[in-house]
């Protein structure tokens, strides 16, 4: 499943870059969504596959916090990119005559930069808050990855 997801997203990214007919706002957003999905599925899946082979459920604290950060970053950015795509489709349907003027390349780029900036800020805030927690009891997570609910269960603050 991981290979199918990764190859599908890579093919869509390459196709969008190479085909000049696909250099439209809709495919620009789709390109970014594919990139985010490719990165998002690479946050947990390689670690899980490696743990299946090694049969070892150990992850370091810094690896865990990095996983939390990237999970938050890609999840939040995906939500904002989907919102930008919805706005793009709204403009295409409701204002078809002004679509090319309204959805200029500058606006599309600003929407993407804004999406990534908000995702960066929010993921950084979540990770900093997770770093301030104190952990006690048995510091083990019965998963192959670090997620916020299991980490909160381990916290004694």
């Amino acid at each position: 499943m991981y290979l199918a997801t990764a190859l599908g997203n890579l093919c869509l990214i390459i196709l969008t870059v190479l085909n000049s007919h696909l250099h439209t706002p809709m495919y620009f957003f789709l390109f970014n969504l594919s990139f985010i999905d490719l990165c998002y599925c690479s946050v947990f899946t390689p670690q899980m596959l490696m743990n299946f082979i090694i049969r070892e459920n150990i992850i370091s604290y810094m690896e865990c916090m990095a996983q939390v950060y990237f999970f938050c970053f890609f999840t939040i950015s995906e939500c904002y990119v989907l919102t930008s795509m919805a706005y793009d489709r709204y403009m295409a349907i409701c204002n078809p005559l002004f679509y090319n003027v309204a959805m200029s390349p500058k606006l599309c780029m600003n929407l993407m930069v804004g999406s990534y900036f908000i995702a960066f800020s929010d993921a950084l805030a979540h990770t900093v808050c997770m770093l301030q927690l104190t952990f006690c009891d048995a510091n083990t997570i019965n998963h192959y990855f670090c997620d916020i609910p299991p980490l909160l269960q381990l916290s004694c603050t």
Side-chain angles (χ1 to χ4, degrees), residues 88-155:
D88 173 60
R89 291 298 84 203
Y90 167 78
M91 292 302 292
I93 293 169
C94 294
N95 296 320
L97 297 176
F98 297 112
Y99 175 72
N100 290 334
V101 175
M103 293 304 294
S104 66
K106 183 179 178 183
L107 176 66
C108 294
M109 187 60 73
N110 285 340
L111 286 170
M112 284 302 96
V113 169
S115 298
Y116 289 127
F117 178 74
I118 291 171
F120 169 77
S121 304
D122 201 17
L124 187 63
H126 275 81
T127 307
V128 166
C129 289
M130 291 301 289
L131 286 169
Q132 293 177 351
L133 294 177
T134 304
F135 296 100
C136 55
D137 292 334
N139 288 335
T140 58
I141 300 173
N142 294 326
H143 301 288
Y144 295 112
F145 53 87
C146 290
D147 199 7
I148 293 173
L151 287 175
L152 291 176
Q153 288 177 351
L154 288 177
S155 171

Side-chain angles (χ1 to χ4, degrees), residues 47 50-59 143-144:
Q47 177 76 26
M50 189 175 70
N51 286 336
F52 285 147
I53 294 169
I54 298 173
R55 299 200 185 277
E56 187 177 295
N57 292 346
I58 297 173
I59 186 169
H143 301 288
Y144 295 112

Side-chain angles (χ1 to χ4, degrees), residues 25-69:
M26 181 177 78
Y27 285 100
F28 175 72
F29 294 127
L30 196 57
F31 168 84
N32 280 284
L33 190 65
S34 293
F35 173 73
I36 290 168
D37 191 38
L38 176 67
C39 296
Y40 177 78
C41 74
S42 298
V43 171
F44 293 120
T45 312
Q47 177 76 26
M48 287 176 59
L49 292 173
M50 189 175 70
N51 286 336
F52 285 147
I53 294 169
I54 298 173
R55 299 200 185 277
E56 187 177 295
N57 292 346
I58 297 173
I59 186 169
S60 74
Y61 182 71
M62 293 313 288
E63 287 175 345
C64 182
M65 288 301 123
Q67 245 184 24
V68 167
Y69 173 78

